[in-house]
Amino acid sequence: MIRLARTSDGPRLRQIEEAAGEPFRELDMARIADDTPPTLETLAVYIDDGRCWVHTEDEVVSSYLIADVVDAYAHVEQVSVHPDYSGRRIGAALITQLDGWARDRGLAGLTLTTYRDVPWNAPYYNRLGFETVDEPTDGLGAIRRHEALNGLDEWPRVAMRRAFT
């Protein structure tokens, strides 16, 4: 089941983020695995604004997605699935949820930034219909520049878009 997140979900979302980072160690990306999850205050902004969804199974939160609006697109700021729940298409279901939210608001589609060569990143999003953006829009370009300043470009990253037709 997918629902809007509640403030009480915040600590669990942080746990999910930490657990979801662990597989990056196997790709020699320990710095990503060690990255601090969003603060409860940051998560509360998304939750209070109705831009954070969770997937639950037997009332346990397994995954989450937070979104922004960037250049008239719904931007996937973060989507994380706890490894115990991976391989069940939960991430795709959360993206579908965001897709409906974006369409209801008249947005042009979805965007995200991700690692180009990580199997559960860009290759996965390609399978969900996202395409690499060679020349990002102003807001998406600003996100990429911010990521580079924070050292995320140590590994190749891309901006991606799935436009509505």
Side-chain angles (χ1 to χ4, degrees), residues 73-74 98-104 106-110 161-165:
Y73 286 81
L98 180 61
D99 188 281
W101 181 88
R103 287 177 189 273
D104 288 349
L107 298 175
L110 309 180
R161 175 174 38 229
R162 184 168 84 182
F164 298 148
T165 54

Side-chain angles (χ1 to χ4, degrees), residues 124-131 160-163:
Y124 173 75
Y125 295 115
N126 278 135
R127 291 191 301 274
L128 295 181
F130 285 82
E131 297 178 352
M160 301 184 84
R161 175 174 38 229
R162 184 168 84 182

Side-chain angles (χ1 to χ4, degrees), residues 10 27 55 58 65 68 83 98 109 115 121 125 134 138 142:
L27 301 176
H55 174 270
D58 297 324
L65 181 148
D68 289 315
L98 180 61
Y115 291 104
N121 279 197
Y125 295 115
D134 293 325
D138 290 343

Side-chain angles (χ1 to χ4, degrees), residues 52-64:
C52 180
W53 295 266
V54 297
H55 174 270
T56 63
E57 192 167 307
D58 297 324
E59 299 186 34
V60 174
V61 176
S62 68
S63 315
Y64 78 99

Side-chain angles (χ1 to χ4, degrees), residues 105-122:
R105 283 152 183 77
L107 298 175
L110 309 180
T111 61
L112 56 85
T113 61
T114 194
Y115 291 104
R116 184 189 70 200
D117 301 323
V118 173
W120 59 90
N121 279 197

